[in-house]
Amino acid sequence: MTPVDVQETFERVMGCEVRELLAWLPVALPNAEVSVEHAGRRAIAHWPQGSLTLAWEALAPRRIALLQIPQLRVTFHYGGFDQDRRREIQRRFDLATQRGGG
C-alpha cells in the first residue's frame, strides 16, 4: 500500500530480481523517459516536471522452508515533484509491481 506521505528519498526491500524490476518499469512509470545504468545499478525516469531515480542492491534471498525469494533493496529518490505528484507516481508504481494475492 502506498503511504500518504511519500518522502523525497526512501528505501524499500522488494521481492524480485533486477530483470523483473526493469521489465515492470514501462507499466509502472508510464509517460516517463527511462534510462538504465546497469553498471551503476540504477534507473532514472524523467518527466518534464522532475525525475525518479531507482538504485538497487541485491540482497541474499529470503528462505522460507524450501521456498527461496530473491530480494532487492531499492532506494527511491524523487527530484522536482511536490507531495501530490510523488504520491501519484508511487501509487502507480506500487500497483504495477505488486504480486498476486489477497
Side-chain angles (χ1 to χ4, degrees):
M1 176 158 32
T2 304
V4 173
D5 181 25
V6 176
Q7 300 296 312
E8 287 185 19
T9 302
F10 64 94
E11 286 186 353
R12 176 183 285 176
V13 174
M14 297 181 68
C16 64
E17 296 177 341
V18 173
R19 66 177 174 75
E20 293 172 300
L21 176 64
L22 297 178
W24 293 332
L25 294 183
V27 173
L29 303 171
N31 305 315
E33 183 178 314
V34 179
S35 60
V36 178
E37 299 174 7
H38 292 280
R41 297 176 309 194
R42 68 182 190 163
I44 304 171
H46 295 278
W47 291 267
Q49 1 24 350
S51 64
L52 168 61
T53 301
L54 301 171
W56 57 83
E57 172 189 0
L59 301 175
R62 176 173 280 171
R63 299 180 77 80
I64 303 169
L66 296 176
L67 178 65
Q68 183 170 299
I69 302 169
Q71 295 187 105
L72 292 178
R73 177 180 298 125
V74 181
T75 301
F76 294 73
H77 176 74
Y78 285 94
F81 294 118
D82 65 16
Q83 177 62 252
D84 290 338
R85 185 68 173 125
R86 290 194 306 265
R87 185 173 39 252
E88 179 185 330
I89 292 169
Q90 192 64 45
R91 182 178 176 279
R92 175 68 184 183
F93 182 91
D94 291 345
L95 286 172
T97 60
Q98 74 183 18
R99 303 268 184 164

